[in-house]
Amino acid sequence: MGHDCRPLIRAHEVGEYVFCARAWWHRRQSHPSIREEDRRAGRRFHIRFEQQRRWGGYLIALSILLAIAGMVLLFGALAFRL
């Protein structure tokens, strides 16, 4: 029975990779070559990305509410017209 030399990838690393493949790759390096200012820039990027994603969710919810309100007004206007 031979010893398998492939690197082991743990379950939590899959989520990390899906979120940011570059951060996952840097973390897997035995001696990370990333500079501290690059690391801070990466953190700022992820913070901005999360804020934009959150605002996107709010805007989608708002658009759904406005579409429902528009349909209610349209059907109400049509009901009074008939």
Side-chain angles (χ1 to χ4, degrees):
M1 300 250 172
H3 189 296
D4 194 2
C5 294
R6 291 181 295 180
L8 183 65
I9 297 177
R10 296 184 176 8
H12 75 276
E13 289 183 276
V14 174
E16 182 182 9
Y17 179 84
V18 169
F19 183 72
C20 182
R22 179 174 285 180
W24 174 84
W25 182 83
H26 281 298
R27 195 176 315 274
R28 299 267 305 171
Q29 301 303 306
S30 58
H31 43 58
S33 61
I34 191 166
R35 298 178 314 211
E36 185 58 34
E37 59 264 16
D38 292 336
R39 192 180 314 271
R40 283 193 296 264
R43 285 188 193 116
R44 284 192 304 270
F45 169 79
H46 283 289
I47 290 169
R48 267 193 324 274
F49 176 77
E50 179 61 27
Q51 290 170 343
Q52 291 171 348
R53 190 191 63 77
R54 191 175 305 129
W55 273 105
Y58 295 153
L59 291 175
I60 289 171
L62 178 62
S63 66
I64 290 170
L65 288 174
L66 290 174
I68 291 171
M71 286 189 281
V72 167
L73 289 173
L74 176 67
F75 291 135
L78 289 174
F80 284 115
R81 197 154 213 217
L82 297 175

